[in-house]
Amino acid sequence: MPVRPRRAWAVLLGVLVAVVSTLVAAAPAQAIYKGHDADFSKYRFMVSMRLANTPDSPRCGGTLIEPDIFMTAAHCVAGVPQGGIVATVGANIPDWPTAPKIGTLGHAIGRHYDPTGDNRDDIALVRLAAPQSSPTVRLARTEPRVGEHVTIAGFGCTNIPVPPTCVTRPTVLQETGQKVLSDRAGCGPEIFQNPPAFGPTTICTVGIRDNSTVVPGDSGGPLLVRDRCGGFRQAGVLSLGSDSTDPLVAGYTSLPVEARWIHDTIEQLRAG
C-alpha cells in the first residue's frame, strides 16, 4: 500500500516575526505538543533565540554548547544580518521578562544548507558577545540507534501543530519522549516530499506515546540522549516537522555527522 505524501514545515529565509499568533513560514516560540513540564535544573543549557530588533519575541530554540557559542537551526538564522541575533541563556519562561538579552558577534550556517532542495546541514552556530556561566550541553559522538528512546524539549505553544497556528502556550519549558525511526521508514522522501525535504544528515523520531511531537517554533531545539552518568548529550538539532497527523514525525540534523563542521566553525567564529 503506497505511503500518503506529507509535507514538511521549516522556517523560510529572513522571516521577521514580532508575535506568535499565526505561522508565517515557521513562527517563533511554539513548542512541544503533548509534552509535560520539565525540571529546568536539567536544562540550563537551553537558549531562546530572538532577533535584535524584536528582542522580546522568541523566534527559535537553541542550546549552549560552549560558554560563548550556542547552536540552533540554519533556517532560524538564514537571511539575518551578522549581529542581528540576541538570546536569553539558561532562563525558563517565567524569567524571560528580566533575563538579559545577550548580543551576538556573528553566526554561521551549515555548508550545504539549501532550503530549496532538502534539509541537509540545517544547523547554525552563533557566537555570543560575552561568555555565559550557564552549564553547556555535551555533544553525542554517535547517533542514537533505531528504536532507542530519546528526549526533546522546547518553549512555547502546546497545541497540535496541524494546522501550525499558535493557540495555547505553556508557562514553563516542555519535554517529551521520542523513539528513533529508520530514515527510510520515518522521514524518507515518501514522507517529506516537498522542500525543504528530508536530507542525509537527518535523524528521524516519533512520539513514544500519545503522538507527542514538535511544532514549528521548536526549530533549533535539541534531541537528547542519556549518557552513562544520567545526564544529557545532544545528538540532534530540530530541523523538520510533519504537517500530517498520521503520524507526527520530526527530523533532526545529526550532530555526529556535523562534528567536524562544528569544530571548525567554532574556531572560525572566534577568529572573527
Side-chain angles (χ1 to χ4, degrees):
M1 181 170 139
V3 178
R4 181 165 63 88
R6 301 178 176 89
R7 301 191 305 280
W9 53 257
V11 176
L12 301 181
L13 302 182
V15 178
L16 305 182
V17 184
V19 294
V20 184
S21 57
T22 59
L23 182 74
V24 180
Q30 300 184 21
I32 304 299
Y33 169 63
K34 289 192 174 181
H36 56 271
D37 293 355
D39 177 357
F40 196 75
S41 66
K42 301 176 182 177
Y43 291 94
R44 291 183 57 219
F45 51 78
M46 290 293 294
V47 172
S48 174
M49 185 205 125
R50 294 101 185 277
L51 299 181
N53 60 352
T54 54
D56 295 323
S57 298
R59 179 179 177 88
C60 281
T63 51
L64 192 69
I65 64 169
E66 295 280 341
D68 61 335
I69 302 287
F70 78 85
M71 179 185 297
T72 187
H75 69 255
C76 292
V77 306
V80 178
Q82 297 293 324
I85 296 168
V86 298
T88 62
V89 180
N92 206 352
I93 295 171
D95 301 318
W96 284 357
T98 58
K101 309 300 190 293
I102 310 301
T104 61
L105 301 176
H107 58 270
I109 64 174
R111 63 172 63 90
H112 298 120
Y113 176 66
D114 177 7
T116 65
D118 58 33
N119 72 317
R120 179 187 302 218
D121 297 337
D122 189 2
I123 183 174
L125 297 182
V126 185
R127 185 184 178 197
L128 294 164
Q132 301 300 294
S133 59
S134 294
T136 58
V137 63
R138 300 178 69 182
L139 305 185
R141 296 180 180 179
T142 59
E143 290 187 2
R145 300 181 302 275
V146 173
E148 186 173 342
H149 288 188
V150 295
T151 300
I152 61 175
F155 299 112
C157 296
T158 56
N159 52 276
I160 190 169
V162 184
T165 302
C166 181
V167 177
T168 58
R169 299 181 177 92
T171 57
V172 296
L173 178 74
Q174 298 291 291
E175 67 177 358
T176 192
Q178 298 273 287
K179 179 175 68 174
V180 177
L181 303 175
S182 69
D183 292 347
R184 173 62 63 176
C187 295
E190 296 87 356
I191 303 300
F192 291 130
Q193 290 190 342
N194 296 333
F198 173 85
T201 58
T202 296
I203 300 170
C204 183
T205 71
V206 69
I208 295 173
R209 60 180 66 88
D210 296 333
N211 214 17
S212 65
T213 192
V214 297
V215 294
D218 278 329
S219 293
L223 172 68
L224 301 164
V225 296
R226 290 287 185 181
D227 62 22
R228 294 180 180 178
C229 299
F232 285 129
R233 287 182 181 256
Q234 186 174 353
V237 173
L238 178 60
S239 172
L240 293 176
S242 173
D243 68 357
S244 168
T245 58
D246 183 27
L248 288 167
V249 296
Y252 286 77
T253 302
S254 169
L255 300 191
V257 169
E258 303 287 353
R260 173 51 58 182
W261 179 85
I262 293 169
H263 176 272
D264 292 346
T265 302
I266 289 174
E267 292 187 346
Q268 292 166 11
L269 286 171
R270 285 174 173 164

